[in-house]
Amino acid sequence: MPGSNPGANAGHRHIEGPWLRFNFFQRMMLRWRELHAYNPVHVVRVPVALEPERLRRGIAEQLEALGLTGLHVDRARWRYRYAGGPAEVELAVLAGGDDPLAVLARAIESEINRPFAPSPHENPFRFFAVDERGAFRLAVVYDHYVAGGDSIARVLTGLACDCARFGAAPAPAPAPMATATATATASPAENYRSMLLSHPGRVVRCLTDLPRVIASARRACRVPYVRVEDAGNEYTYLHVDTARTRRLRGLAKDWGVTMNDLLMACLLRALSPLAQRRHSEPRRNQLAVASILNMRRDFRPEMGDAMNPFLGAFRVSHTVPDGIGLRQLACDVQLQTARIKRHHLYLQSLMALGLSALLWPLLTPLQRHGFYPKHFAVWAGITTLDLNPIWERAAREGTARLDYLRAVPTGPLCPLVLAVTLAHDELHLAFTWRTSAFSREDIAAVAADLLRDVDSSKAGTLP
């Protein structure tokens, strides 16, 4: 990809960024990875022949131009910086053979469970490519504390656009998100504090609502782990085609709910058969799932292009009685999520992280594994990323159609994560689960039930 990022190779631009403090979520991610690897994986399909060495050079150029090299971590002071310099590119090339998606699935599962070695000088990115003979899948594996999914999607889309131009005219320089990544003068941690301090009404509302949250948590049934300290992950993928995706969007619009509300309702219904014992419980008779959301819009505009994750979460719970219709359940979920969003109650997740951070040093490793399952009982989490706005650049450049999927690790908070990626009016659903909580057969049943709800909507049989 020579010329894809002008000036990137001229003596290896040295962009030494300032020391930045880790925010709440980043600190918790660093703690979580002490228990098990916490690595998301993003994959884009590039419709040109794979040229490994050219790809390696292109990755290096991008990372150097974006200031994502020379990462130094000062864990004692909870701070980090990118010192710049030449990129260290770890790129594995895999033969897709007759079933490249199976090869990809095995590689994703392996990478989710393979830790990055913590050290003061870290390389938080790994890449692999699956050769499909005439096209290839390019994947980036990253240590989650360094980036949010939306930021990684922009970086990987830029790489894919450059790859798709092999042999064509030079591509434009990277999008403006890059320089803010490492050189933003405002610390992400300070932005969390300033955001909370600038909205005292929201903080007061969250604090006064805490008794309700605690009472709700005590009514949620817990996941029956085999060994809570076994944090190994497995992965599977489900593609929802354009027709099915449009039906889901149509249902959400007709029922006055969001797509995320509808998918959470589908997930609750699909998980319900696995939690039948709750019906005989006098108190813990509700099923809870979490939604992980991007809070970037809550911060100052200059953080819009920063690489860091700005995440929050909220939970919804329901008794999910046998026979409840999807429409009723989706509307019940929407009542909860609308209140949470209206009053910004997702900020409670930051308060909870702050509390768990205070307790963390006092807990044994086994207690750390069991802390969230005991006090924040959720059966699954859902995280949604819409690629279409990010792909406007690719459309402007006339780049060939790209396909995209991602997988998100479970961590100690959720034993199952459903990563939903919307691209080209199609949904890509990646299920990642802890093997100590679910079997592959369990997740296959959940995926089948979810698809059954979608297909029932076509026949008009959904209540």
Side-chain angles (χ1 to χ4, degrees), residues 373-414:
K374 180 178 179 180
H375 300 289
F376 192 78
V378 296
W379 281 64
I382 184 170
T383 169
T384 304
L385 178 63
D386 185 354
L387 263 293
N388 292 313
I390 296 174
W391 283 355
E392 290 178 358
R393 171 193 169 191
R396 287 196 302 268
E397 293 179 15
T399 303
R401 177 189 171 102
L402 305 173
D403 288 322
Y404 201 103
L405 64 92
R406 64 198 177 101
V408 177
T410 62
L413 186 61
C414 299

Short mmCIF file of all heavy atoms in Angstrom, two decimals, residues 373-414:
data_model
loop_
_atom_site.label_atom_id
_atom_site.label_comp_id
_atom_site.label_asym_id
_atom_site.label_seq_id
_atom_site.Cartn_x
_atom_site.Cartn_y
_atom_site.Cartn_z
N PRO A 373 -21.34 -12.02 39.23
CA PRO A 373 -22.43 -12.99 39.20
C PRO A 373 -23.29 -12.99 40.47
O PRO A 373 -24.49 -13.27 40.42
CB PRO A 373 -21.71 -14.33 39.02
CG PRO A 373 -20.44 -13.98 38.32
CD PRO A 373 -20.05 -12.65 38.88
N LYS A 374 -22.68 -12.66 41.60
CA LYS A 374 -23.43 -12.65 42.85
C LYS A 374 -24.23 -11.37 43.03
O LYS A 374 -25.40 -11.41 43.44
CB LYS A 374 -22.47 -12.82 44.03
CG LYS A 374 -23.15 -12.83 45.39
CD LYS A 374 -22.14 -13.04 46.51
CE LYS A 374 -22.84 -13.03 47.87
NZ LYS A 374 -21.86 -13.23 48.99
N HIS A 375 -23.63 -10.22 42.73
CA HIS A 375 -24.25 -8.94 43.04
C HIS A 375 -24.88 -8.24 41.84
O HIS A 375 -25.65 -7.28 42.02
CB HIS A 375 -23.22 -8.00 43.68
CG HIS A 375 -22.64 -8.53 44.95
ND1 HIS A 375 -23.36 -8.60 46.12
CD2 HIS A 375 -21.39 -9.02 45.22
CE1 HIS A 375 -22.59 -9.10 47.08
NE2 HIS A 375 -21.39 -9.37 46.56
N PHE A 376 -24.56 -8.68 40.63
CA PHE A 376 -25.10 -8.04 39.41
C PHE A 376 -25.47 -9.15 38.44
O PHE A 376 -24.85 -9.34 37.41
CB PHE A 376 -24.05 -7.10 38.81
CG PHE A 376 -24.57 -6.19 37.74
CD1 PHE A 376 -25.30 -5.06 38.05
CD2 PHE A 376 -24.32 -6.47 36.40
CE1 PHE A 376 -25.77 -4.22 37.05
CE2 PHE A 376 -24.79 -5.63 35.39
CZ PHE A 376 -25.51 -4.50 35.74
N ALA A 377 -26.48 -9.91 38.83
CA ALA A 377 -26.81 -11.15 38.10
C ALA A 377 -27.47 -10.84 36.76
O ALA A 377 -28.64 -10.47 36.71
CB ALA A 377 -27.72 -12.03 38.95
N VAL A 378 -26.72 -10.97 35.68
CA VAL A 378 -27.28 -10.86 34.34
C VAL A 378 -26.88 -12.10 33.56
O VAL A 378 -25.80 -12.66 33.75
CB VAL A 378 -26.81 -9.59 33.60
CG1 VAL A 378 -27.30 -8.33 34.29
CG2 VAL A 378 -25.29 -9.55 33.47
N TRP A 379 -27.76 -12.55 32.68
CA TRP A 379 -27.50 -13.75 31.89
C TRP A 379 -26.78 -13.44 30.59
O TRP A 379 -26.15 -14.32 30.01
CB TRP A 379 -28.81 -14.48 31.61
CG TRP A 379 -29.28 -15.28 32.79
CD1 TRP A 379 -29.65 -14.80 34.01
CD2 TRP A 379 -29.37 -16.71 32.87
NE1 TRP A 379 -29.98 -15.83 34.85
CE2 TRP A 379 -29.83 -17.02 34.18
CE3 TRP A 379 -29.15 -17.75 31.98
CZ2 TRP A 379 -30.04 -18.32 34.61
CZ3 TRP A 379 -29.36 -19.06 32.39
CH2 TRP A 379 -29.81 -19.34 33.70
N ALA A 380 -26.89 -12.23 30.13
CA ALA A 380 -26.26 -11.88 28.84
C ALA A 380 -26.14 -10.38 28.74
O ALA A 380 -26.83 -9.61 29.43
CB ALA A 380 -27.08 -12.44 27.67
N GLY A 381 -25.25 -9.96 27.86
CA GLY A 381 -25.13 -8.54 27.51
C GLY A 381 -25.20 -8.40 26.01
O GLY A 381 -24.80 -9.30 25.26
N ILE A 382 -25.71 -7.27 25.56
CA ILE A 382 -25.81 -7.02 24.13
C ILE A 382 -25.10 -5.71 23.82
O ILE A 382 -25.22 -4.73 24.55
CB ILE A 382 -27.29 -6.97 23.67
CG1 ILE A 382 -27.39 -6.79 22.16
CG2 ILE A 382 -28.07 -5.90 24.40
CD1 ILE A 382 -28.81 -6.98 21.63
N THR A 383 -24.31 -5.71 22.77
CA THR A 383 -23.61 -4.51 22.33
C THR A 383 -23.82 -4.34 20.83
O THR A 383 -23.62 -5.29 20.07
CB THR A 383 -22.10 -4.58 22.67
OG1 THR A 383 -21.41 -3.51 22.01
CG2 THR A 383 -21.48 -5.89 22.26
N THR A 384 -24.24 -3.15 20.42
CA THR A 384 -24.64 -2.92 19.03
C THR A 384 -23.74 -1.87 18.39
O THR A 384 -23.42 -0.84 19.00
CB THR A 384 -26.10 -2.44 18.97
OG1 THR A 384 -26.94 -3.41 19.62
CG2 THR A 384 -26.57 -2.26 17.54
N LEU A 385 -23.35 -2.12 17.15
CA LEU A 385 -22.54 -1.17 16.38
C LEU A 385 -23.11 -1.07 14.97
O LEU A 385 -23.24 -2.08 14.28
CB LEU A 385 -21.08 -1.63 16.33
CG LEU A 385 -20.11 -0.76 15.51
CD1 LEU A 385 -19.99 0.63 16.12
CD2 LEU A 385 -18.74 -1.43 15.43
N ASP A 386 -23.46 0.15 14.57
CA ASP A 386 -23.97 0.40 13.22
C ASP A 386 -22.81 0.90 12.37
O ASP A 386 -22.28 1.99 12.59
CB ASP A 386 -25.10 1.45 13.28
CG ASP A 386 -25.75 1.69 11.93
OD1 ASP A 386 -25.27 1.15 10.92
OD2 ASP A 386 -26.76 2.43 11.89
N LEU A 387 -22.42 0.10 11.39
CA LEU A 387 -21.27 0.44 10.54
C LEU A 387 -21.61 1.43 9.43
O LEU A 387 -20.71 2.04 8.87
CB LEU A 387 -20.71 -0.84 9.90
CG LEU A 387 -19.51 -1.51 10.57
CD1 LEU A 387 -18.29 -0.65 10.47
CD2 LEU A 387 -19.80 -1.87 12.01
N ASN A 388 -22.86 1.59 9.10
CA ASN A 388 -23.21 2.37 7.92
C ASN A 388 -22.70 3.81 7.97
O ASN A 388 -22.18 4.30 6.96
CB ASN A 388 -24.73 2.31 7.69
CG ASN A 388 -25.17 0.90 7.30
OD1 ASN A 388 -24.58 0.27 6.44
ND2 ASN A 388 -26.21 0.40 7.96
N PRO A 389 -22.82 4.55 9.10
CA PRO A 389 -22.26 5.90 9.11
C PRO A 389 -20.74 5.91 8.92
O PRO A 389 -20.19 6.80 8.27
CB PRO A 389 -22.64 6.42 10.51
CG PRO A 389 -23.81 5.60 10.93
CD PRO A 389 -23.56 4.25 10.34
N ILE A 390 -20.06 4.90 9.48
CA ILE A 390 -18.61 4.85 9.36
C ILE A 390 -18.19 4.56 7.92
O ILE A 390 -17.13 5.00 7.46
CB ILE A 390 -18.06 3.77 10.31
CG1 ILE A 390 -18.35 4.17 11.77
CG2 ILE A 390 -16.56 3.56 10.12
CD1 ILE A 390 -17.99 3.12 12.78
N TRP A 391 -19.05 3.88 7.18
CA TRP A 391 -18.70 3.49 5.82
C TRP A 391 -19.05 4.55 4.77
O TRP A 391 -18.98 4.29 3.57
CB TRP A 391 -19.38 2.16 5.47
CG TRP A 391 -18.67 1.00 6.08
CD1 TRP A 391 -17.51 1.04 6.79
CD2 TRP A 391 -19.07 -0.36 6.03
NE1 TRP A 391 -17.16 -0.22 7.19
CE2 TRP A 391 -18.10 -1.11 6.75
CE3 TRP A 391 -20.15 -1.03 5.47
CZ2 TRP A 391 -18.19 -2.48 6.90
CZ3 TRP A 391 -20.23 -2.40 5.63
CH2 TRP A 391 -19.26 -3.13 6.34
N GLU A 392 -19.40 5.73 5.20
CA GLU A 392 -19.69 6.79 4.23
C GLU A 392 -18.45 7.11 3.40
O GLU A 392 -18.53 7.39 2.22
CB GLU A 392 -20.19 8.04 4.95
CG GLU A 392 -21.59 7.87 5.54
CD GLU A 392 -22.04 9.10 6.30
OE1 GLU A 392 -21.24 10.06 6.39
OE2 GLU A 392 -23.18 9.10 6.80
N ARG A 393 -17.28 7.05 4.07
CA ARG A 393 -16.04 7.33 3.34
C ARG A 393 -15.83 6.31 2.24
O ARG A 393 -15.49 6.65 1.10
CB ARG A 393 -14.84 7.30 4.30
CG ARG A 393 -13.50 7.37 3.59
CD ARG A 393 -12.34 7.04 4.51
NE ARG A 393 -11.11 6.86 3.73
CZ ARG A 393 -10.00 6.37 4.22
NH1 ARG A 393 -9.95 5.98 5.47
NH2 ARG A 393 -8.93 6.24 3.45
N ALA A 394 -16.04 5.03 2.55
CA ALA A 394 -15.86 3.98 1.54
C ALA A 394 -16.81 4.19 0.37
O ALA A 394 -16.44 4.00 -0.79
CB ALA A 394 -16.09 2.61 2.17
N ALA A 395 -18.03 4.61 0.67
CA ALA A 395 -19.01 4.85 -0.40
C ALA A 395 -18.56 6.01 -1.28
O ALA A 395 -18.68 5.97 -2.51
CB ALA A 395 -20.37 5.11 0.20
N ARG A 396 -18.03 7.06 -0.65
CA ARG A 396 -17.59 8.23 -1.41
C ARG A 396 -16.43 7.87 -2.35
O ARG A 396 -16.32 8.41 -3.44
CB ARG A 396 -17.16 9.35 -0.47
CG ARG A 396 -18.30 10.04 0.25
CD ARG A 396 -17.84 11.37 0.84
NE ARG A 396 -16.74 11.20 1.76
CZ ARG A 396 -16.88 11.01 3.07
NH1 ARG A 396 -18.10 10.95 3.60
NH2 ARG A 396 -15.82 10.89 3.85
N GLU A 397 -15.57 6.97 -1.87
CA GLU A 397 -14.40 6.60 -2.68
C GLU A 397 -14.73 5.54 -3.72
O GLU A 397 -13.87 5.15 -4.51
CB GLU A 397 -13.29 6.07 -1.76
CG GLU A 397 -12.73 7.13 -0.85
CD GLU A 397 -11.64 6.56 0.06
OE1 GLU A 397 -11.16 5.44 -0.22
OE2 GLU A 397 -11.28 7.24 1.02
N GLY A 398 -15.96 5.03 -3.70
CA GLY A 398 -16.32 4.00 -4.66
C GLY A 398 -15.69 2.66 -4.37
O GLY A 398 -15.54 1.83 -5.27
N THR A 399 -15.30 2.45 -3.11
CA THR A 399 -14.69 1.18 -2.73
C THR A 399 -15.72 0.06 -2.84
O THR A 399 -16.89 0.24 -2.55
CB THR A 399 -14.17 1.26 -1.28
OG1 THR A 399 -13.24 2.35 -1.20
CG2 THR A 399 -13.45 -0.01 -0.87
N ALA A 400 -15.25 -1.11 -3.23
CA ALA A 400 -16.16 -2.26 -3.36
C ALA A 400 -16.80 -2.58 -2.02
O ALA A 400 -16.29 -2.22 -0.95
CB ALA A 400 -15.39 -3.47 -3.88
N ARG A 401 -17.93 -3.26 -2.07
CA ARG A 401 -18.69 -3.60 -0.87
C ARG A 401 -17.82 -4.37 0.13
O ARG A 401 -17.10 -5.30 -0.21
CB ARG A 401 -19.89 -4.47 -1.27
CG ARG A 401 -20.72 -4.95 -0.09
CD ARG A 401 -21.74 -5.96 -0.57
NE ARG A 401 -22.41 -6.60 0.55
CZ ARG A 401 -23.63 -6.29 0.97
NH1 ARG A 401 -24.31 -5.35 0.36
NH2 ARG A 401 -24.17 -6.91 1.99
N LEU A 402 -17.92 -3.96 1.40
CA LEU A 402 -17.20 -4.61 2.47
C LEU A 402 -18.19 -5.32 3.39
O LEU A 402 -19.31 -4.84 3.59
CB LEU A 402 -16.41 -3.57 3.29
CG LEU A 402 -15.44 -2.67 2.52
CD1 LEU A 402 -14.89 -1.60 3.45
CD2 LEU A 402 -14.30 -3.47 1.91
N ASP A 403 -17.79 -6.45 3.93
CA ASP A 403 -18.59 -7.13 4.94
C ASP A 403 -17.82 -7.10 6.25
O ASP A 403 -16.59 -7.14 6.26
CB ASP A 403 -18.88 -8.58 4.54
CG ASP A 403 -19.89 -8.66 3.41
OD1 ASP A 403 -20.84 -7.85 3.43
OD2 ASP A 403 -19.74 -9.51 2.52
N TYR A 404 -18.55 -7.08 7.36
CA TYR A 404 -17.91 -6.81 8.65
C TYR A 404 -18.59 -7.61 9.74
O TYR A 404 -19.82 -7.72 9.77
CB TYR A 404 -18.04 -5.31 8.97
CG TYR A 404 -17.05 -4.74 9.96
CD1 TYR A 404 -15.98 -3.98 9.52
CD2 TYR A 404 -17.19 -4.94 11.33
CE1 TYR A 404 -15.08 -3.42 10.41
CE2 TYR A 404 -16.29 -4.39 12.23
CZ TYR A 404 -15.24 -3.63 11.76
OH TYR A 404 -14.34 -3.08 12.65
N LEU A 405 -17.81 -8.17 10.65
CA LEU A 405 -18.35 -8.78 11.85
C LEU A 405 -17.36 -8.56 12.98
O LEU A 405 -16.20 -8.21 12.76
CB LEU A 405 -18.64 -10.27 11.64
CG LEU A 405 -17.47 -11.21 11.36
CD1 LEU A 405 -16.94 -11.82 12.68
CD2 LEU A 405 -17.89 -12.34 10.42
N ARG A 406 -17.84 -8.77 14.21
CA ARG A 406 -16.97 -8.59 15.36
C ARG A 406 -17.41 -9.53 16.47
O ARG A 406 -18.57 -9.98 16.49
CB ARG A 406 -16.99 -7.14 15.86
CG ARG A 406 -18.33 -6.70 16.37
CD ARG A 406 -18.50 -5.19 16.45
NE ARG A 406 -19.86 -4.90 16.88
CZ ARG A 406 -20.21 -4.57 18.11
NH1 ARG A 406 -19.28 -4.43 19.05
NH2 ARG A 406 -21.46 -4.35 18.42
N ALA A 407 -16.50 -9.83 17.36
CA ALA A 407 -16.78 -10.66 18.52
C ALA A 407 -16.26 -9.93 19.75
O ALA A 407 -15.18 -9.34 19.72
CB ALA A 407 -16.11 -12.02 18.38
N VAL A 408 -17.03 -10.00 20.83
CA VAL A 408 -16.69 -9.28 22.06
C VAL A 408 -16.57 -10.29 23.19
O VAL A 408 -17.47 -11.12 23.37
CB VAL A 408 -17.76 -8.21 22.38
CG1 VAL A 408 -17.44 -7.50 23.69
CG2 VAL A 408 -17.85 -7.19 21.24
N PRO A 409 -15.50 -10.25 23.98
CA PRO A 409 -15.32 -11.22 25.05
C PRO A 409 -16.32 -11.01 26.18
O PRO A 409 -16.90 -9.93 26.33
CB PRO A 409 -13.89 -10.97 25.53
CG PRO A 409 -13.66 -9.52 25.22
CD PRO A 409 -14.41 -9.26 23.95
N THR A 410 -16.49 -12.02 27.00
CA THR A 410 -17.49 -11.94 28.06
C THR A 410 -17.03 -11.15 29.27
O THR A 410 -17.78 -10.38 29.84
CB THR A 410 -17.89 -13.35 28.52
OG1 THR A 410 -16.75 -14.01 29.06
CG2 THR A 410 -18.47 -14.16 27.38
N GLY A 411 -15.81 -11.36 29.72
CA GLY A 411 -15.38 -10.74 30.96
C GLY A 411 -16.12 -11.34 32.14
O GLY A 411 -16.94 -12.25 31.99
N PRO A 412 -15.89 -10.83 33.36
CA PRO A 412 -16.55 -11.37 34.54
C PRO A 412 -17.97 -10.85 34.73
O PRO A 412 -18.69 -11.34 35.60
CB PRO A 412 -15.65 -10.91 35.69
CG PRO A 412 -15.03 -9.65 35.19
CD PRO A 412 -14.87 -9.82 33.71
N LEU A 413 -18.39 -9.87 33.94
CA LEU A 413 -19.69 -9.24 34.14
C LEU A 413 -20.83 -10.03 33.51
O LEU A 413 -21.86 -10.27 34.15
CB LEU A 413 -19.66 -7.82 33.56
CG LEU A 413 -20.88 -6.94 33.79
CD1 LEU A 413 -21.12 -6.72 35.28
CD2 LEU A 413 -20.70 -5.60 33.09
N CYS A 414 -20.67 -10.44 32.26
CA CYS A 414 -21.72 -11.15 31.53
C CYS A 414 -21.19 -12.50 31.05
O CYS A 414 -20.14 -12.54 30.40
CB CYS A 414 -22.20 -10.36 30.32
SG CYS A 414 -22.90 -8.75 30.71
#
